[in-house]
Amino acid sequence: MKYDFLIVGAGFAGSVMAERIASQLNKKVLIVEKRNHIGGNAYDEYDEHGILVHKYGPHIFHTNSKMVFDYISQFTEWRFYEHKVLAKIKDELYPIPINRITINKLYNKNFQSAYEVKNYFEKVREKRYPIKNSEDIIINQVGVDLFEKFFKYYTQKQWSLEPRELSAQVCGRIPVRLNDDCRYFTDKYQYMPKEGYTKMFERMLKHNNIEVILNTDYKKIIEDIEFNKMIYTGPIDYFFDYRFGKLPYRSIRFEFENLGVENFQESAVINYVEEMVQYTRVTEYKYLSGQKSNSTTISYEYTEKEGEPYYPVPTDINRELFLRYKLETQKIKNVIFCGRLAEYQYYNMDQAAANSLKKFRELLNDGK
Ligand code: FAD
Ligand code: UDP
């Protein structure tokens, strides 16, 4: 069988590309996925207790892009959901992102207005200029004590690096608030797919022009398949057989547990920001799905160096290595590199989708 496109990886990046190519160009697509399921890291499934869990950790859909939201909405209905996260210090829970409630509770203050909180940050912050890394960006806003309490150890655990070794983009994902807004995200669209991500991906890929092969590394079959163009969404260093050395990706070990209680913790996610607790966060999945049940399923996250690649590690040195690989991609004409692993970018799901939609438009323009 001859295909127009071979797509490596059935996550957001690969699936959006496949859907567009099949439905808009009427071209034949083969997706090769090495896992035993579609959906990439957004994959979810019902566990043996009937709770919808995310196999690769909590995935909350949020975007400011109407274009992306409208596009994804073709494949799912939504459940309104605004994500909240608490950080645990000693036996107390505090809103994260840091906001007025966090400051009042932590320092026993009674700030009533954003103005007072702003003044407080002005007093405790340490000016850093230029902002070069993840330590600078937080200390420049809220000073050393809040940095050490909420960011230093969580970041060490998550990345096995000091915040000052990581791009400002990492801790810069977390805003600092002057008000009482306890939501993790403030995007215009914040929802969970009503029947889960996997169902959404199934609808996306249900097309006569799309064929999916699971449990297969593309390198095992590439010699046996005829195709015109490849879209590659796996790790970029693997594509080039680690020619310049391995690019670090951070992995996570998830430990799932079902408990015979209706409810385990006070919010969907609790971040363990202290050094002595080994895991980074605990997720209680019922908050995400809105399910009612007598039992509840939670997951603990332990980050690890080896294992499935989940996060690119944004440091200067890794970026340099990535750019060497990127230069190689420019020498290859019939492969499009796309997604979190292939572009070594800390994309959220909406960004991965937006990026694939952009790459699809470029593909259209190239064809003209
Ligand atoms: P992936 O989902 O990684 O898909 C790549 C696919 O390629 C995988 O299925 C992989 O098995 C396959 N593949 C790789 N190599 C090969 C090969 N050699 N042959 C065949 N197949 C191959 N984003 C949000 O917007 N909100 C969140 O709350 C959120 N939470 C997250 C929590 C965690 C713990 C993690 C790790 C990520 C989170 N994300 C979140 C980010 C989100 O997972 C990504 O944006 C999205 O999955 C990127 O899609 P992708 O297709 O680029 O990559
Ligand atoms: N972070 C932190 N403390 C927190 C939350 C986040 O130090 O309570 C830092 C940490 O380095 C983390 C980064 O900010 O990796 C981004 O956090 P986010 O919750 O966006 O991570 P993700 O959901 O992508 O794992």
Side-chain angles (χ1 to χ4, degrees), residues 58 85 87 96 134 150-156 158-159 166 170-174 184-185 271 273 281 301 311 340 346 348:
V85 179
I96 178 92
S134 271
F150 289 93
F151 289 91
K152 186 174 172 178
Y153 302 110
Y154 186 103
T155 300
Q156 281 177 355
Q158 171 76 9
W159 302 97
L166 283 161
V170 175
C171 287
R173 288 167 61 87
I174 313 300
Y184 208 57
F185 310 110
N271 285 356
V273 294
R281 59 185 177 190
E301 289 178 41
Y311 291 85
R340 186 151 146 140
Y346 198 159
N348 291 325

Side-chain angles (χ1 to χ4, degrees), residues 75 131-132 144 188 194-195 199 201 236 255 279 290 326 344:
F75 312 105
I131 303 288
K132 290 201 296 269
V144 174
K188 189 160 172 198
K194 209 171 194 167
E195 296 170 272
K199 276 269 175 309
F201 279 102
I236 189 166
E255 281 186 7
Y279 38 85
K326 193 169 175 204
Y344 209 63

Side-chain angles (χ1 to χ4, degrees), residues 309-344:
Y310 293 134
Y311 291 85
V313 183
T315 65
D316 290 344
I317 192 161
N318 296 346
R319 173 130 195 97
E320 269 170 37
L321 181 53
F322 165 69
L323 289 175
R324 285 185 75 190
Y325 281 115
K326 193 169 175 204
L327 268 180
E328 293 300 290
T329 68
Q330 287 159 7
K331 298 179 192 157
I332 306 173
K333 283 287 161 264
N334 68 336
V335 183
I336 297 172
F337 293 83
C338 185
R340 186 151 146 140
L341 305 173
E343 294 179 271
Y344 209 63

Side-chain angles (χ1 to χ4, degrees), residues 284-328:
E284 182 167 9
Y285 287 91
K286 274 161 69 173
Y287 281 98
L288 308 185
S289 66
Q291 284 173 284
K292 302 266 177 277
S293 156
N294 291 333
S295 78
T296 193
T297 303
I298 59 173
S299 70
Y300 295 86
E301 289 178 41
Y302 299 84
T303 37
E304 295 187 330
K305 194 161 173 251
E306 301 299 333
E308 279 284 285
Y310 293 134
Y311 291 85
V313 183
T315 65
D316 290 344
I317 192 161
N318 296 346
R319 173 130 195 97
E320 269 170 37
L321 181 53
F322 165 69
L323 289 175
R324 285 185 75 190
Y325 281 115
K326 193 169 175 204
L327 268 180
E328 293 300 290

